[in-house]
Amino acid sequence: MLNTTFINRTLNSSLINNLINLVFFQGVWFITVIGAAEGNTWYGIAGLSCFVCIHYLIAHTVKADLLLAAVAIFLGLIIETAVIQTGVLKYVHSITSTQFAPLWILILWANLALTLNGCLRWLQGRYMLAAILGAAGGPLTYFAGIKLGAATTTMAVATALGVIAVIYAIVTPLLLLIAKQVTQALK
């Protein structure tokens, strides 16, 4: 018979929760990008739905995180549409419009929001470090997305990734600041 006390204590461990958060974040990113490259947005919808369900079970900041996801989607819509409009990137297989951010990229913004009080919580208050990590990590994920076939660029890849680096150097600490404030306000 299973020892439910041990299981509950283990699942409530913040280290385990952060590990689960990180694994689901990476998994959702991967299946969403693969799905986008294949023209199937449903992969991302299904992946994010699973992540939200698991997140609901293990997170202590669910209300704040769902609000953060909405904020991130709105911010992502503005930023990704600007990225498209300026020719920095072109996303493949957009089911709505080639002029606006596709649904699958907005799923990735919501996915990121679910990490702000999870595995990225340690960056709250460390905004310079968050900017540096955003400037490095943002372009790496977009480069991977390009290589996996979910996006293309009309300019030199290095130039496009430089633009993405600047965007994420600003957006990463901004989202972490918003996460901290929203979470405190909803306690």
Side-chain angles (χ1 to χ4, degrees):
M1 178 159 250
L2 290 173
N3 183 343
T4 56
T5 305
F6 172 76
I7 292 171
N8 287 337
R9 230 182 292 140
T10 303
L11 288 177
N12 288 327
S13 162
S14 89
L15 177 63
I16 297 297
N17 288 353
N18 285 338
L19 183 60
I20 292 168
N21 185 261
L22 176 63
V23 168
F24 269 87
F25 168 74
Q26 291 296 331
V28 170
W29 183 91
F30 188 72
I31 65 171
T32 301
V33 171
I34 293 296
E38 294 178 0
N40 193 340
T41 304
W42 292 107
Y43 291 6
I45 293 169
L48 185 63
S49 296
C50 289
F51 188 10
V52 168
C53 289
I54 294 297
H55 193 75
Y56 179 80
L57 295 173
I58 66 171
H60 303 289
T61 55
V62 174
K63 287 181 187 176
D65 296 338
L66 293 177
L67 181 57
L68 288 168
V71 169
I73 289 169
F74 179 73
L75 191 59
L77 178 63
I78 294 168
I79 290 170
E80 299 297 343
T81 298
V83 163
I84 292 167
Q85 298 284 331
T86 57
V88 174
L89 290 175
K90 179 183 175 200
Y91 297 112
V92 299
H93 303 295
S94 179
I95 60 174
T96 52
S97 166
T98 58
Q99 298 302 308
F100 296 99
L103 177 59
W104 69 266
I105 199 79
L106 300 178
I107 289 169
L108 294 181
W109 281 83
N111 187 43
L112 174 62
L114 294 179
T115 67
L116 299 172
N117 284 318
C119 63
L120 295 181
R121 184 182 186 100
W122 67 275
L123 280 172
Q124 291 179 9
R126 296 180 174 118
Y127 301 115
M128 185 59 71
L129 180 57
I132 292 166
L133 293 175
L140 285 174
T141 62
Y142 280 76
F143 183 70
I146 290 168
K147 289 297 183 185
L148 289 170
T152 61
T153 183
T154 58
M155 57 182 63
V157 173
T159 304
L161 295 179
V163 171
I164 299 298
V166 171
I167 291 169
Y168 275 84
I170 297 166
V171 168
T172 305
L174 175 63
L175 284 172
L176 286 160
L177 176 64
I178 293 169
K180 185 176 183 179
Q181 291 176 344
V182 166
T183 303
Q184 288 174 349
L186 292 178
K187 278 189 176 179

